[in-house]
Amino acid sequence: MLFRGLANKILASSTCSLMMKALFRRDGFLRRSISAAAPVVCSEVPRLPQDIMMQIFSLLEIPDLVRAGSVCSSWHAAYTTLCATAHSKLQQTPCLLYTSESIGDRAMGLYSLAEKKAYTLTVPDPPIRSREVIGSSYGWIITADERSELQLLNPITGDQIALPSVTTIGQVEPIYDHAGTLCKYKYTRYTAYWISETQPQILDLSDLRDYLFYKSFLSSDPSTGDYIVVLIHLPEYQLSFARAGDVEWTWLPPYTSYEDCQFQGSLLYATTSLGEIDMYDLGAPAVARKIILHKVKSSVYERIYIVQAPSGELLQIKRSDDECEHDSSLELSKVPKNTTSIIVHKVDHTSEKNLVEVDTLCENVLFIGRNQSLCLCAKEYPQLLPNHAYLTDDDYLDVSYLKDRRRDIGEFDLESNRIKEIVSPQLWSNSPTPVWLVPNPRRMSRLTSHS
């Protein structure tokens, strides 16, 4: 709180405030790269030791951090050092990341909940509107391109990492034409316990991703060079993983029906559609399953999430939805769905059922969807509403096959069980589905404001 107050005081000082306002008004200021911005004479702005400036800057949201880093050479040095420090703590309010026809095929929109304002991020090829987004963790998204190959992408910096080929997943075989060019995939449905009676499917390159991928998660920030990426994939929602530098995916048989994952270091906690929670130590030489929670429900109607609360407790979230009232003649893809209920349980091994229902999140707030599930303290993020859940759509059938369907995105009040829009009119395209992103500004890229 001391540093937050100091940051506000410095940024509100008369000289600095006038200077910053002038910068904000400059047409296209945010369109320039940081290195291209003309610095202001340092004698006109507050001078503090770099470590203090870095602690202040770490409290700024992404747009303000860009602006502050462009004020003068000493502020620029503080922000570049902060962004280059692998383990620096940057407190960023989650933003809604999306694509839109209006901003082009190679750009993403970033809607700031803190500023109630949208920005445009230019990202590298392949064109982002031709990809599917299947995960978001630590400021990076996991995408599947038109060849169904996977990439890690930091939309803020533009950094991109190719993941092991999809052909190293056991259920996938490449098919080449007479010239030796990859032209199709052979997709076989099987698990460790089950083989489908249907014949393997021959799929176009871009179609495989819709049949195969559900969600993906990261253990840590890839910019450190040390991370693990996990896939929940079909058939039967199995797990596969790859460590940094791996050239192939490692399958985690024989268990299935996973819905959500949460990392604590190298420990992977995975919850199933029946409420089971399994733990795997992916840093161990031999990876084995440890049961944390047995089956707690018989229905798979609700979607299940797992998240660690700020207190350290493990929470399990149940989300129900329903189709809105509609004309029976409408196509299914035109019928919107909304979340109707969110129920929170605390994992408690001292109770008879090992789960205790939580009546209220109190000061906490949830972010759930096709991203790493988050539980944050609203006191540390004053723009967020306590006892609310911020939602994006992750229903597999909807995001993979009903791509024109309006997405179930909104701000859900757990007390009233009501959902309201994040912003109106809708800024995003329905496909690829929008996700929550905690911006990671290391190696800051260009931000462009748009309305």
Side-chain angles (χ1 to χ4, degrees), residues 73 87 115 205 231 282 285 345 356 431:
S73 58
H87 299 290
E115 291 193 338
L205 300 183
L231 283 176
L282 299 187
H345 287 88
V356 177
S431 184

Side-chain angles (χ1 to χ4, degrees), residues 124-381:
D125 283 339
I128 193 63
R129 278 177 56 82
S130 70
R131 307 194 223 181
E132 294 296 333
V133 178
I134 65 168
S136 171
S137 306
Y138 296 96
W140 293 66
I141 58 174
I142 301 94
T143 70
D145 65 20
E146 289 185 300
R147 295 168 64 87
S148 296
E149 296 289 5
L150 296 170
Q151 306 84 29
L152 301 178
L153 170 65
N154 185 329
I156 301 297
T157 67
D159 288 343
Q160 189 162 236
I161 301 170
L163 293 176
S165 176
V166 68
T167 60
T168 65
I169 294 176
Q171 291 79 6
V172 180
E173 293 181 43
I175 297 176
Y176 300 95
D177 63 17
H178 65 279
T181 302
L182 178 68
C183 61
K184 300 278 186 181
Y185 291 118
K186 180 182 177 182
Y187 173 54
T188 306
R189 291 181 172 86
Y190 69 86
T191 70
Y193 292 141
W194 165 85
I195 299 177
S196 173
E197 294 180 359
T198 62
Q199 291 296 314
Q201 283 184 276
I202 306 302
L203 299 173
D204 290 338
L205 300 183
S206 63
D207 288 343
L208 176 67
R209 57 189 176 181
D210 293 330
Y211 284 81
L212 188 64
F213 301 132
Y214 177 41
K215 288 183 178 180
S216 186
F217 308 86
L218 289 166
S219 65
S220 56
D221 181 356
S223 68
T224 66
D226 183 17
Y227 61 90
I228 304 168
V229 58
V230 164
L231 283 176
I232 301 178
H233 64 86
L234 280 77
E236 300 299 316
Y237 302 92
Q238 307 174 70
L239 296 177
S240 290
F241 73 94
R243 300 181 181 95
D246 283 356
V247 296
E248 61 184 26
W249 292 97
T250 299
W251 187 28
L252 271 182
Y255 306 103
T256 60
S257 303
Y258 291 105
E259 286 237 355
D260 198 31
C261 295
Q262 189 77 208
F263 271 102
Q264 293 181 13
S266 64
L267 300 181
L268 174 71
Y269 292 83
T271 188
T272 72
S273 56
L274 295 178
E276 301 154 298
I277 298 177
D278 295 336
M279 189 268 281
Y280 299 90
D281 185 355
L282 299 187
V287 180
R289 176 200 189 206
K290 179 180 179 181
I291 299 174
I292 303 298
L293 187 68
H294 289 279
K295 183 174 71 172
V296 296
K297 67 190 190 79
S298 57
S299 167
V300 296
Y301 176 70
E302 307 104 335
R303 296 203 295 285
I304 301 291
Y305 306 87
I306 185 172
V307 65
Q308 186 175 22
S311 62
E313 297 172 316
L314 204 58
L315 303 179
Q316 190 176 79
I317 318 297
K318 296 180 182 178
R319 175 184 181 181
S320 302
D321 58 32
D322 201 359
E323 293 176 355
C324 302
E325 291 186 12
H326 62 279
D327 187 329
S328 59
S329 64
L330 281 178
E331 295 180 20
L332 185 59
S333 64
K334 304 299 182 184
V335 178
K337 288 199 308 186
N338 279 334
T339 295
T340 56
S341 172
I342 290 179
I343 300 174
V344 181
H345 287 88
K346 177 177 66 174
V347 178
D348 183 358
H349 294 296
T350 64
S351 71
E352 184 178 345
K353 294 184 178 180
N354 291 321
L355 279 182
V356 177
E357 186 168 348
V358 177
D359 294 331
T360 175
L361 289 172
C362 298
E363 295 297 329
N364 291 335
V365 57
L366 296 172
F367 284 84
I368 56 178
R370 215 173 194 183
N371 51 271
Q372 175 184 312
S373 301
L374 299 172
C375 183
L376 307 175
C377 180
K379 287 183 177 179
E380 298 179 10
Y381 300 85

Side-chain angles (χ1 to χ4, degrees), residues 113 365-368 384-385 388-392 410-411 422 436:
L113 293 176
V365 57
L366 296 172
F367 284 84
I368 56 178
L384 303 180
L385 295 174
H388 279 65
Y390 292 81
L391 314 172
T392 59
E411 181 185 282
I422 297 291
W436 295 112

